[in-house]
Structures are given as structure tokens and as C-alpha cells.
Amino acid sequence: MNVTGEAIRVEDGSLHVPSQPLIPYIEGDGIGPEISRAARAVLDAAVERAYGGARRLRWVEIYAGEKAQKRTGDLLPRETLEAIRELKVALKGPLATPVGSGHRSLNVTLRQELDLYACVRPIRHLPGVPSPLQDPQDVDFVIFRENTEDVYAGIEWESGSPEARRFAELLREHFGVEIRPDAGVGVKPISEFGTKRLVRQAIAYALRHGRKRVTLMHKGNIMKYTEGAFRKWGYEVAREEFPDQTITEEELFSQYDGKIPEGKVLINDRIADIMFQHVITPPREFDVIATPNLNGDYLSDACAAQVGGVGMAPGANLGDEVGVFEPTHGTAPDIAGKNVANPTALILSGALLLDHLGWTEAAELIPEALARTFLQKRVTGDLARLLEGADRLSTDSFAQAVIENIRALSPGEEV
Ligand code: ATP
């Protein structure tokens, strides 16, 4: 690594961020290189605008995916994982997983290797972005999706395989349960440990960011010992670890006259299916949503559509010490190399990274500058299609427009 700068450290669970932190980045495959270049330029401009020369991101390229395979023969080299472990964060573009590579998904392997157990997806509408909702400005919540358990644990057997047949036998012999002999089988583990660490992070986030509610989204009425247990353990972690900072819905009405008191977070729960209705009518009800893996997957993509589609949806995958910041979308091979992709999801993922570092002044400039750019109708093709009279920009020109708007903003200014 020939870049000057210092490593971010974690001591007693807190990040210590130097003024010139080393920030590893993975360009990614498909549209990755284009959007990565654009996002880094925008993040640099935001840091420059917020702190002058007093702070600076020191980018360090690390490799995964096709680029890593060409250089090292390995899709996910050990050094890449070690660099992220050591430097504590990374900005990551989307990765393709070639069929027959030995990985189910490179993105999933990376999350598992680094134990990034919380997938954090803010869903916020930015002014000027086309939305199917009547009041899109009310959409502003953050989904905490559990990232390691549930049907995503990868425990499944194909119909007709010896394992599936053996499993059916086991169920019949030991549990008196019959399933059809030609059934494929999947297992859905949800643990107390996995649930509590996710909900703990969600509550800590809500408290840190002045959010008023954490909603546990589950299908516990049907899956009592997995999703139902998620609900139970979620309430438990609130009661046991945040007794003075959290209240339940029952307490809200019995003790607080229906108003959430200052400095406290309401913990409530909702059944997964009805959530899809409530995030649309009215979305104002939500601040932070904590949910098992599969619900979180469905909900975050559905919600991305409310705020401009996958090109707009950022994400962060957080463990106890390490965070990887990446867009929700994939490699978009259909538009790769054409300089037309929308870099907003990666730019906003970078804003989450800045916020994670505690560089909030720089982080806050980014959505403001993006909103100005959208209101000026200077957008990439995916949004130009939906916006009458829009100026259709390339990836690079869009990033330049955002940078111009960052330079024109004062830190703290709102659109
Ligand atoms: P992968 O196999 O890597 O998931 P994919 O094409 O199946 O790739 P996405 O990359 O999520 O899945 O893309 C879905 C659709 O959305 C594609 O038509 C793609 O062009 C479009 N898309 C995704 N990301 C962007 C973006 N940043 N800007 C513009 N269009 C995008």
C-alpha cells in the first residue's frame, strides 16, 4: 500500500478516525468502475467543502471480482479481506459471481467472512426524484435486515436428492411429520444471538440519530419459533439493555398519553405482510425497521421503488467492528462500460460511510447536493425516462453536476 494516511482504529467498541483515514475501495464489476470513479470524486468534494484541507479521504484500491481474478487468479483474495479487517471500512461496487466459481455469491461470501450481520438500507426520498407515491417526501426510514440467518443460511436440499429424502425420513421417524417425498427442503434458522445483535444495532442507531421508533417486522403469527421468536427477543433486548431509553406501545398509551417522550425510542412490532401496505399508507409511521433476512430483502427492494428505483438505493453491511458500504443494485451488465449508469446509490452509500466515520458535516452535504441536481432535472438515463424535460447526463457529467452543487452549498444548508 503506497498511499499516505492512517488506519481507522476501534477501541472499546468506538471508532477512532484520523484526519486522513485510509479508505479501501473495490471498484466492482459491470458498471462498478464507472460508478466507483464518480462516487469517489463526489465524496472527496464533500469532504473538501466541509473541512477545507483539514480532513481528507485516502483511497486505497483493493481487489475482488473479475479484476482480482485477472491479477491474482482468485475472485476474493485473502489480502482483500485482511485489508478490510485492518482498515475497518470499505466502499464497494457490485460484484458478479461467475457460475461454477465455487462461490454461491461473492457479495454473500464477503459478508459472511467479515461477519457483517446487519444490512442497513436507508429509504429516503430526495426532492426532484420521480416516485409513484402521492407524498414521497414522507418516506424516510432505515431498514436493518439481519444478514446471516433465516433461509439465507444456505441449508437446503434439492428434490429427489439423498439428503432431501434422508431429511424426510428423519422427520417421519423422529417427529411424526410427513412431507411429500418429492419435496425440496430448506431450513430457516433464527437464533437469539443473531436476533439480539441485530436489534441492538438498530436501537443504538435510532438513539444516535434521534429516530423515534424501532419496528420489529416479522411473520410470527405463522412461524412462531423463528419469526415469532425474533419479535420476542427483539423486545427482550430493548427491555434488558436499553431499559431507560425504550418504551413499548402499551407504555406509550398507559404512561405517556400517546406521545413518545424526548430521548426515548418506541419499540413496536408489525406483521410482515401488512408492513407492505403501511410503508405506502402512511410511510410516516416508520423510522427504523428491524427484520429477519428474507422479509428485509423483499421490503428493501419494494421500498427502493418508492424513492426512484435500484439506482438510488444505498446500503451498508455492518458488523461489530467493520463496515462495508455498497449499493443495493447489481452489476447491470446491460449498461456496463457505456458511461450511462446512475452512480447515486454508491454515492449515497459513501455518504453513509462518512456518517459512520462521524464526518456528518460532509455526509449531510451529499443528499442536499443530489436533491439540487435532481431538481435541476440533471439526471442519468434511468431517471430521465421518468422526468419530463430532463437533461440526460452521462455518469461522469452527473457526478460533475453534483460536485458543482456541493461547492455551491454551505455546510448545514438545506434545499
Ligand atoms: P446482477 O446479476 O449483478 O444482479 P442484474 O442486471 O441482474 O445484475 P441489477 O444490476 O440490479 O441486476 O439491475 C437490474 C436492472 O436495473 C438492469 O436493467 C440494470 O440496467 C438496472 N440498473 C441497476 N443499477 C443501475 C444503475 N446504477 N443505474 C441505472 N440502471 C441500473
Side-chain angles (χ1 to χ4, degrees):
M1 245 181 271
N2 296 321
V3 183
T4 42
E6 274 180 73
I8 295 167
R9 287 175 298 113
V10 175
E11 274 166 30
D12 299 328
S14 307
L15 278 191
H16 292 261
V17 182
S19 57
Q20 302 210 6
L22 291 166
I23 308 289
Y25 69 94
I26 295 169
E27 275 193 344
D29 299 321
I31 57 172
E34 302 150 61
I35 59 173
S36 176
R37 189 173 59 237
R40 279 176 285 125
V42 169
L43 295 178
D44 284 340
V47 171
E48 164 76 30
R49 182 77 195 90
Y51 309 114
R55 290 182 188 178
R56 192 170 155 194
L57 300 168
R58 293 289 188 169
W59 298 105
V60 186
E61 182 164 14
I62 57 173
Y63 301 95
E66 272 170 35
K67 205 168 176 182
Q69 195 170 36
K70 281 203 193 106
R71 293 172 67 97
T72 66
D74 192 351
L75 282 165
L76 188 56
R78 280 278 118 207
E79 311 81 83
T80 295
L81 293 169
E82 273 157 27
I84 304 175
R85 272 192 201 104
E86 190 187 321
L87 300 177
K88 308 299 177 201
V89 295
L91 184 70
K92 173 185 162 295
L95 292 173
T97 309
V99 177
S101 66
H103 292 272
R104 254 167 95 100
S105 149
L106 270 186
N107 301 303
V108 173
T109 308
L110 198 104
R111 285 173 213 154
Q112 283 172 344
E113 287 282 334
L114 298 169
D115 199 19
L116 305 175
Y117 59 83
C119 173
V120 182
R121 293 196 175 158
I123 308 286
R124 175 179 170 197
H125 181 259
L126 292 176
V129 176
S131 163
L133 295 186
Q134 216 166 9
D135 299 307
Q137 68 282 358
D138 290 342
V139 180
D140 181 9
F141 49 83
V142 185
I143 301 173
F144 275 68
R145 164 186 171 192
E146 205 287 326
N147 232 352
T148 64
E149 303 198 310
D150 202 345
V151 285
Y152 279 73
I155 313 169
E156 56 171 8
W157 297 289
E158 195 177 355
S159 159
S161 65
E163 293 85 356
R165 280 206 300 270
R166 177 90 188 85
F167 201 81
E169 265 168 43
L170 191 95
L171 288 178
R172 186 180 328 108
E173 283 168 21
H174 294 274
F175 301 100
V177 174
E178 283 291 339
I179 57 173
R180 294 204 173 93
D182 61 347
V185 180
V187 177
K188 178 183 175 80
I190 290 193
S191 70
E192 179 173 353
F193 173 82
T195 300
K196 285 193 169 171
R197 67 178 180 170
L198 176 87
V199 177
R200 185 178 298 123
Q201 244 202 58
I203 297 175
Y205 176 95
L207 288 166
R208 223 174 30 250
H209 288 83
R211 298 276 189 166
K212 303 300 282 175
R213 297 177 186 79
V214 173
T215 303
L216 306 167
M217 171 193 185
H218 61 90
K219 190 76 185 160
N221 53 337
I222 304 296
M223 293 170 272
K224 297 193 189 327
Y225 304 120
T226 50
E227 303 249 339
F230 179 91
R231 169 185 181 275
K232 178 176 97 131
W233 291 321
Y235 279 117
E236 258 175 39
V237 84
R239 199 169 53 240
E240 288 165 3
E241 299 181 27
F242 303 90
D244 301 328
Q245 294 143 304
T246 56
I247 58 168
T248 60
E249 225 154 27
E250 199 265 311
E251 289 162 347
L252 175 69
F253 292 101
S254 64
Q255 296 176 32
Y256 299 101
D257 205 18
K259 289 201 188 66
I260 305 169
E262 209 42 51
K264 295 206 195 261
V265 172
L266 172 73
I267 311 291
N268 60 9
D269 74 279
R270 296 286 181 269
I271 300 287
D273 38 313
I274 199 68
M275 287 286 292
F276 283 86
Q277 184 174 319
H278 284 324
V279 290
I280 300 175
T281 56
R284 210 174 309 121
E285 253 185 45
F286 300 106
D287 271 331
V288 173
I289 298 168
T291 187
N293 209 336
L294 184 62
N295 298 338
D297 184 33
Y298 294 155
L299 186 74
S300 36
D301 271 22
C303 291
Q306 300 178 6
V307 295
V310 286
M312 301 290 299
N317 290 291
L318 304 179
D320 284 328
E321 288 206 352
V322 171
V324 173
F325 299 80
E326 60 179 313
T328 303
H329 62 72
T331 56
D334 50 336
I335 53 168
K338 297 184 178 150
N339 197 19
V340 297
N342 184 351
T344 302
L346 188 59
I347 293 173
L348 286 170
S349 304
L352 294 177
L353 191 160
L354 294 176
D355 185 59
H356 181 76
L357 302 184
W359 293 15
T360 39
E361 300 81 1
E364 283 168 4
L365 289 173
I366 291 174
E368 297 305 335
L370 281 167
R372 286 195 175 199
T373 315
F374 297 134
L375 287 168
Q376 292 158 350
K377 297 201 173 184
R378 298 157 87 190
V379 293
T380 45
D382 53 329
L383 296 186
R385 251 182 281 133
L386 308 170
L387 261 183
E388 212 173 306
D391 196 0
R392 179 187 289 253
L393 301 184
S394 67
T395 309
D396 288 336
S397 315
F398 174 75
Q400 281 313 313
V402 179
I403 290 170
E404 258 172 47
N405 281 318
I406 286 176
R407 294 192 176 137
L409 274 170
S410 308
E413 193 177 338
E414 282 191 23
V415 179

